[in-house]
Structure formats: structure tokens, C-alpha cells
Amino acid sequence: MAKGKTVEKSEARRYLENIEWMRNEIERLTQINAEYNERKIGIRGIDYSKDRVQTSPDGDSIKMVDWYNDEIDSNNRLIFEYDRECKKAKQEIDSLSDSRYSDLLYYHYLRTYDLRHVADMMNKSYPWTRSLKGEALIAFQTEVIDRKKANGEEI
């Protein structure tokens, strides 16, 4: 029985770690978009290196701005998709029968807080919080993952 619980815990952990990865990707892509927007501002169409000053954007500058805009649009589509998945995971986490499990999984996987930080927030010891995390993953497996499988839903 304990061996089966470990396998179930791993499946729940993989799912939640994937959500955690998405949360980190949202942050990373948002930073990239901000950087691209700053770079677009820096692209000027004025060339002072020749005898005549060119004040309109050249073809290369326009292409670069278009490339940045395409990349930002692509990143925004990913951010939207990842955010939708994170919101779905939040609802699943909130559906757990024990609010301690919900709180721990939310802060650890969706807010990406270190488990020691979560322990401090919960006013509990780190070993107790680690143990609770194991219980929470098993609960997530049985209450969410297994239910989805039984209903034929995608995980």
C-alpha cells in the first residue's frame, strides 16, 4: 500500500511541478516582453553617420520592430495559455477537503514559495510542513487526479 501511495504522490507532484514551471515561465516571458518593449523604443530611424541625415526608419529598423512585436505576441499567447492552466490548477487545489493542504500546495506550487517559507507562514516546523506536503500530494492525487481519470477528463 505504501508503495502505491508513493507512485500516486509522484503523479500528483509531476502535475503540480508542471504548474509551478508554467508560473515561472509566465514571470520569465513577462520580463522578456518588457525588455523587448524597451528595445523597440531604442530603435531609431535616424542615421547621422552619412553626409545626409536619414530621419525616417530604414527597412532593417522596421523589420526589427516587427520581429519584436511578433515575439511579444507569441509570448502573450503562451502567457495566456499558462495562466489559464494555473487558474484551473488553483480551482483544483481549492477543491481539496483540507484547507491546510490547499494552502500549502497553493503557496508552494502556484506562488512558488520555498517549503521553509511556507512553514514559516503556517507557523509550523519545516519537518511538519514536509510531512503535510506528502499528505497534501496524496490528497491531491486521490481527490483530483483520480477523479479526473475516472471521469475521463484530461490531466
Side-chain angles (χ1 to χ4, degrees), residues 16 19-20 23-24 86 89-90 93-94 96 99-123 129 132-133 136:
L16 291 168
I19 296 299
E20 180 181 26
R23 196 80 224 137
N24 289 329
C86 289
K90 170 76 167 100
I93 288 170
D94 287 344
L96 293 175
S99 64
R100 296 174 308 157
Y101 297 160
S102 298
D103 291 345
L104 187 145
L105 294 178
Y106 170 73
Y107 285 112
H108 185 57
Y109 289 105
L110 284 172
R111 297 292 302 272
T112 65
Y113 290 165
D114 178 76
L115 201 54
R116 290 185 190 280
H117 185 77
V118 175
D120 289 341
M121 290 173 56
M122 297 177 81
N123 293 320
T129 307
L132 185 68
K133 178 185 171 190

Side-chain angles (χ1 to χ4, degrees), residues 4-106:
K5 291 294 184 189
T6 303
V7 170
E8 291 173 354
K9 187 168 91 172
S10 292
E11 188 175 12
R13 180 178 287 133
R14 276 194 312 274
Y15 173 82
L16 291 168
E17 285 175 348
N18 190 42
I19 296 299
E20 180 181 26
W21 177 85
M22 287 183 194
R23 196 80 224 137
N24 289 329
E25 273 298 286
I26 289 170
E27 179 77 22
R28 186 182 73 80
L29 292 171
T30 301
Q31 289 174 351
I32 288 172
N33 283 353
E35 185 178 312
Y36 285 172
N37 279 320
E38 285 294 317
R39 288 182 185 176
K40 283 189 331 185
I41 292 169
I43 296 175
R44 303 280 187 241
I46 302 173
D47 181 4
Y48 294 104
S49 64
K50 309 256 190 274
D51 291 336
R52 292 180 55 191
V53 175
Q54 179 180 342
T55 57
S56 60
D58 64 2
D60 289 341
S61 295
I62 292 171
K63 286 178 187 174
M64 185 58 75
V65 169
D66 288 343
W67 182 85
Y68 281 130
N69 286 335
D70 290 344
E71 288 298 306
I72 289 169
D73 288 344
S74 175
N75 289 347
N76 284 337
R77 282 191 294 278
L78 286 172
I79 289 169
F80 178 78
E81 180 183 330
Y82 294 160
D83 188 57
R84 187 181 63 220
E85 289 298 318
C86 289
K87 286 177 181 173
K88 187 174 85 172
K90 170 76 167 100
Q91 291 175 335
E92 292 167 343
I93 288 170
D94 287 344
S95 74
L96 293 175
S97 58
D98 190 327
S99 64
R100 296 174 308 157
Y101 297 160
S102 298
D103 291 345
L104 187 145
L105 294 178
Y106 170 73

